[in-house]
Amino acid sequence: SFEDILASVGDGQFTDSDFPPSDSSLIANWDNSDIGDPLRKEFQWIRASEIGCLKDSDGNQKIFEGKIEPNDIKQGQLGDCYFLSTLSVLTEHPERIMKLFATDQVNPQGVYGINMCKNGEYQTVIVDDHIPCNSGNDAGPCFSKGNGPELWVILLEKAWAKIHGSYERVIGGQAHLAMRDL
């Protein structure tokens, strides 16, 4: 469970061995995939706590900041607009977004539990806070992000990619299926 993993990490930082910060989480079968951009370029995996644009003016991070609303969601270089539009619909009832999270607090261990349904089975998807980011001077998140220093959009997209096996596997989809799983 989320609580067990959080307790087992102690004062350390969690790295998800089932969805590691590596090419295999971007493209499940990296060597045999013919997918081009956006996933074949240079990325760096950075912990959310180290990404400046995800911090407020006091240097703090939050899962939620202010109201949860459709304007919080910004699509990045991943073709998962069907998923992000589903999140946008859910923001009309912010409590539904909040219920997806096992905790609404950032933790120094970088471990988060996301409550989703996949193939009719409810589960808590555990993710770490390693975020695929652009290389070089623009080291912010390369896929989705919030409209400000909040993590909820990034973490939900990462959990969605994890239950499907990679970020590649969530490119192109149907909103009604995403709605069912959320």
Side-chain angles (χ1 to χ4, degrees), residues 35-139:
I35 194 164
D37 287 335
L39 299 179
R40 285 242 179 242
K41 55 189 256 184
E42 291 294 317
F43 292 114
Q44 54 186 337
W45 292 83
I46 303 175
R47 287 206 175 264
S49 60
E50 299 170 4
I51 302 172
C53 67
L54 298 180
K55 296 180 181 181
D56 65 17
S57 59
D58 295 326
N60 299 313
Q61 287 188 312
K62 298 176 184 161
I63 293 178
F64 304 106
E65 180 175 71
K67 293 170 42 177
I68 296 172
E69 54 191 359
N71 289 341
D72 287 345
I73 303 164
K74 292 189 172 192
Q75 185 173 5
Q77 302 169 30
L78 192 64
D80 64 348
C81 58
Y82 71 97
F83 175 73
L84 298 176
S85 67
T86 301
L87 292 182
S88 181
V89 168
L90 290 176
T91 64
E92 297 298 325
H93 299 278
E95 68 279 1
R96 291 184 179 175
I97 296 287
M98 294 178 79
K99 283 168 119 180
L100 295 172
F101 286 84
T103 180
D104 64 354
Q105 301 295 313
V106 169
N107 63 72
Q109 294 88 349
V111 58
Y112 297 93
I114 310 297
N115 302 311
M116 291 185 169
C117 179
K118 182 66 179 151
N119 297 326
E121 180 181 324
Y122 287 95
Q123 58 187 291
T124 300
V125 181
I126 305 298
V127 295
D128 63 29
D129 69 345
H130 284 98
I131 309 300
C133 294
N134 296 307
S135 294
N137 295 335
D138 184 23

Side-chain angles (χ1 to χ4, degrees), residues 127-159:
V127 295
D128 63 29
D129 69 345
H130 284 98
I131 309 300
C133 294
N134 296 307
S135 294
N137 295 335
D138 184 23
C142 56
F143 301 147
S144 73
K145 52 188 151 280
N147 188 19
E150 56 189 341
L151 300 176
W152 71 269
V153 177
I154 294 169
L155 294 174
L156 287 174
E157 182 182 61
K158 184 168 187 176

